[in-house]
Amino acid sequence: MERVQQIGDVAEIMLGYVEQGKTHQGAGPRTVPTASYVDKDQFKAEIELVFKRVPLMLAFTAELPNPGDYKAMDAVGLPVLINRDKAGQVHAFLNVCSHRGAPVAEGKGNCARFTCKYHAWTYGTDGRLIGIAEPSTFGEMDKAQLGLRALPCEERAGMIFVCLTPHAPLELDRHFRGFLEDFEALDFADWTYLGNRTIEGANWKIAFDGYLEGYHFKSLHPETIYPRTPSNTTHYEGFGPNMRIGFPQHSIADQLRTVPREAWGTRENYGYDFVRIFFPNVSIFIAPEITQVAQLFPGPTPDRNRTVLNYLRRHPIRDDADREAVEAAMNFFRDVTYQEDYVIGLQIQKGLESGAHDNLVFGRNERGNQFFHEWLNWYLEDDPSQPEPVM
């Protein structure tokens, strides 16, 4: 189905939800063992069978727009280097020198080569080892065999996807099932990267569960989200393990009925909003003023996550006053996310560790949470012959 028509049909469904006091419904409530949020063995399995196998969105085209741009980061405890070579091609490597294991780059920047600060071994932007310090005393080495360890990497729709396992398949079309067309239609590759903020919270799934439903808006966000968006009024679409979650605004009827029905699919942010979910760990909220992209990574232990909140918008910074306003907006969204969602997540972590209950319950109205945990379990079973979950 053509994208605008499909979104217009979803907008009509959400309008009906608001007018009839309804929401998307699953078949029935489902339970998830509380142990899955605290168990060390499951935590290790999630990293090995999920985070190291599926395509992870680790960077944006707008972060690395020029040849020579690079970004060094930690992803699930692994040192990763993402860069754009002199021809404009994106690469990803394990950020580990082949000599003695030190990193070859730190932070972000632009360079023509990477030099390890320990012994000054040097690598090209394509990962090849191009220089060994003082080779006459070091001895003969085959430099062709000592390049940086490459990771599967592909740039698509304004984002850079990486698999954390060398030589593993990176099957973006199979994983996203057409979902990336949304970002191609939004011209996401031409946006401006504004910066990021990092926060820490409870188990990564406790944090991620909060991005997947609007059941809590009135009680937890009475002054920030609820004035715009009604509680418990949500629509879910599945694209493989990924989701587009629709949130109608209180004003959806007034907003949509000012334009022809065939234009309803072009009215995102004007009557309704979407949160786009990339399994297993990315939540994207696109707004005209500023867009927040949350990347959730498991922390060093099961009870912690590290979340990088990235901010983008369609047009570049205009001047110093605009930059100041952008910084204030990023701080505001970070503070709301942490103070209203992550603080209670830490309290939930403590509650689950108490052993008070054997299971958590996700209701029929929390179908997105159910769907996420169904897909997580599918990956943890590690048996592709099993039928995939469906929305």
Side-chain angles (χ1 to χ4, degrees):
M1 184 184 299
E2 197 267 336
R3 177 180 176 274
V4 171
Q5 180 184 339
Q6 183 181 28
I7 293 177
D9 292 344
V10 170
E12 186 170 27
I13 291 170
M14 291 191 287
L15 173 62
Y17 288 162
V18 170
E19 293 183 330
Q20 300 167 31
K22 296 182 177 180
T23 189
H24 191 124
Q25 298 270 272
R30 302 198 176 191
T31 61
V32 172
T34 57
S36 70
Y37 295 87
V38 301
D39 183 76
K40 293 181 180 179
D41 290 335
Q42 173 152 344
F43 180 73
K44 292 177 182 177
E46 289 165 355
I47 292 174
E48 294 299 323
L49 298 177
V50 181
F51 280 88
K52 290 186 179 180
R53 292 196 183 182
V54 305
L56 299 180
M57 196 284 290
L58 294 187
F60 304 90
T61 297
E63 273 187 286
L64 308 170
N66 303 309
D69 285 348
Y70 71 87
K71 168 186 176 179
M73 64 180 297
D74 177 276
V76 201
L78 294 176
V80 175
L81 173 61
I82 303 170
N83 77 300
R84 194 179 297 279
D85 67 23
K86 62 183 180 181
Q89 178 67 36
V90 164
H91 302 272
F93 307 100
L94 290 172
N95 185 15
V96 181
C97 180
S98 58
H99 172 217
R100 297 271 290 280
V104 301
E106 296 178 348
K108 293 183 177 182
N110 183 284
C111 66
R113 61 186 60 84
F114 299 104
T115 301
C116 175
K117 65 181 180 181
Y118 196 7
H119 295 95
W121 282 33
T122 303
Y123 300 84
T125 54
D126 58 1
R128 292 182 302 110
L129 177 63
I130 58 177
I132 295 176
E134 302 182 51
S136 62
T137 60
F138 191 87
E140 289 294 326
M141 298 294 297
D142 182 0
K143 291 198 294 289
Q145 302 300 315
L146 292 171
L148 297 176
R149 180 62 60 88
L151 295 172
C153 176
E154 185 174 343
E155 186 171 23
R156 185 87 69 85
M159 293 167 285
I160 299 168
F161 297 91
V162 178
C163 179
L164 296 179
T165 299
H167 308 297
L170 187 70
E171 300 175 316
L172 293 187
D173 290 330
R174 171 172 171 72
H175 185 73
F176 286 104
R177 318 285 173 94
F179 196 21
L180 295 182
E181 293 175 7
D182 254 13
F183 297 88
E184 292 166 351
L186 293 166
D187 296 321
F188 206 51
D190 297 325
W191 288 29
T192 295
Y193 186 79
L194 302 171
N196 64 66
R197 300 290 187 268
T198 299
I199 58 178
E200 296 181 352
N203 177 277
W204 71 278
K205 298 189 300 297
I206 289 176
F208 207 51
D209 279 335
Y211 292 90
L212 304 179
E213 46 90 1
Y215 186 34
H216 66 283
F217 285 175
K218 185 175 183 180
S219 53
L220 192 63
H221 305 294
E223 298 179 357
T224 51
I225 298 178
Y226 180 67
R228 175 188 179 97
T229 308
S231 260
N232 201 28
T233 312
T234 310
H235 187 71
Y236 296 101
E237 301 169 87
F239 300 81
N242 313 284
M243 284 181 275
R244 186 166 60 200
I245 307 177
F247 294 97
Q249 298 170 13
H250 290 289
S251 62
I252 186 170
D254 293 337
Q255 295 268 12
L256 292 185
R257 288 186 171 135
T258 62
V259 298
R261 170 62 180 81
E262 59 268 22
W264 285 10
T266 67
R267 300 295 293 173
E268 181 174 355
N269 301 132
Y270 300 95
Y272 59 88
D273 302 294
F274 290 116
V275 169
R276 292 168 171 86
I277 299 295
F278 289 172
F279 183 91
N281 70 324
V282 171
S283 171
I284 302 170
F285 174 62
I286 291 173
E289 305 82 7
I290 195 168
T291 285
Q292 176 173 286
V293 181
Q295 298 167 297
L296 285 78
F297 297 101
T301 54
D303 61 337
R304 288 294 181 267
N305 86 81
R306 178 178 62 90
T307 298
V308 181
L309 302 172
N310 300 275
Y311 297 96
L312 303 95
R313 72 179 187 187
R314 286 179 168 85
H315 51 274
I317 298 293
R318 294 184 294 271
D319 50 34
D320 290 344
D322 188 28
R323 165 54 69 184
E324 184 176 350
V326 163
E327 293 290 333
M330 291 192 291
N331 290 337
F332 172 77
F333 280 107
R334 174 202 59 194
D335 293 345
V336 168
T337 303
Y338 182 78
Q339 294 169 7
E340 296 188 8
D341 289 289
Y342 278 52
V343 167
I344 197 169
L346 291 167
Q347 295 170 335
I348 291 170
Q349 184 74 48
K350 186 176 181 180
L352 299 185
E353 290 173 353
S354 74
H357 303 289
D358 294 332
N359 297 291
L360 296 184
V361 183
F362 292 103
R364 293 178 60 201
N365 57 330
E366 298 175 297
R367 179 60 191 142
N369 301 80
Q370 295 179 358
F371 189 68
F372 165 72
H373 285 277
E374 289 165 9
W375 269 102
L376 180 63
N377 290 337
W378 185 87
Y379 276 99
L380 293 176
E381 288 175 0
D382 197 21
D383 181 3
S385 69
Q386 295 299 311
E388 296 178 346
V390 295
M391 182 63 76

